[in-house]
Amino acid sequence: MPFDYLLEKELGLAPKLEPKFANIDDDEMLTPNEVAVLIGLSSISVRRMCREGKIDSYQYNRKYAISGRSLKEFVFRSVKRTKSVREALSS
């Protein structure tokens, strides 16, 4: 079930991003290789996630670029929530 992310933030239940993500500028453009190092996956996996739309990205001449904002949104969506938080925020 989808979360109400605004409610989660208002209630103070929103997860905090690790400093390595929080320090990335929203407008900074990252390569799949840079993202792979940050999230601990292979660059092939990051490219596949871009292709499948799991990470919002831009594609120029078969090369992907991921904005800092898109990376942070992906990480935020990927944070595991406790059962009580999931139940409270599910719609």
Side-chain angles (χ1 to χ4, degrees):
M1 289 186 176
F3 291 115
D4 183 341
Y5 293 110
L6 293 176
L7 178 61
E8 183 181 45
K9 187 175 181 179
E10 284 178 21
L11 295 175
L13 299 173
K16 304 286 187 240
L17 289 177
E18 291 182 40
K20 67 180 176 181
F21 299 115
N23 292 332
I24 296 172
D25 185 53
D26 285 349
D27 296 326
E28 183 177 350
M29 297 307 288
L30 305 163
T31 67
N33 291 342
E34 292 169 325
V35 170
V37 169
L38 287 168
I39 63 177
L41 295 175
S42 71
S43 59
I44 292 170
S45 294
V46 173
R47 283 188 203 73
R48 183 178 57 247
M49 291 176 3
C50 290
R51 195 171 42 253
E52 294 172 351
K54 293 180 180 178
I55 298 177
D56 292 333
S57 61
Y58 301 93
Q59 187 177 15
Y60 306 99
N61 297 326
R62 298 175 47 141
K63 298 202 183 270
Y64 289 99
I66 300 136
S67 71
R69 178 179 292 119
S70 294
L71 173 61
K72 289 189 267 188
E73 287 173 359
F74 169 77
V75 170
F76 182 75
R77 286 190 317 264
S78 300
V79 171
K80 182 83 172 153
R81 270 81 169 175
T82 63
K83 184 178 180 181
S84 58
V85 170
R86 287 193 313 266
E87 288 173 352
L89 298 174
S90 61
S91 52

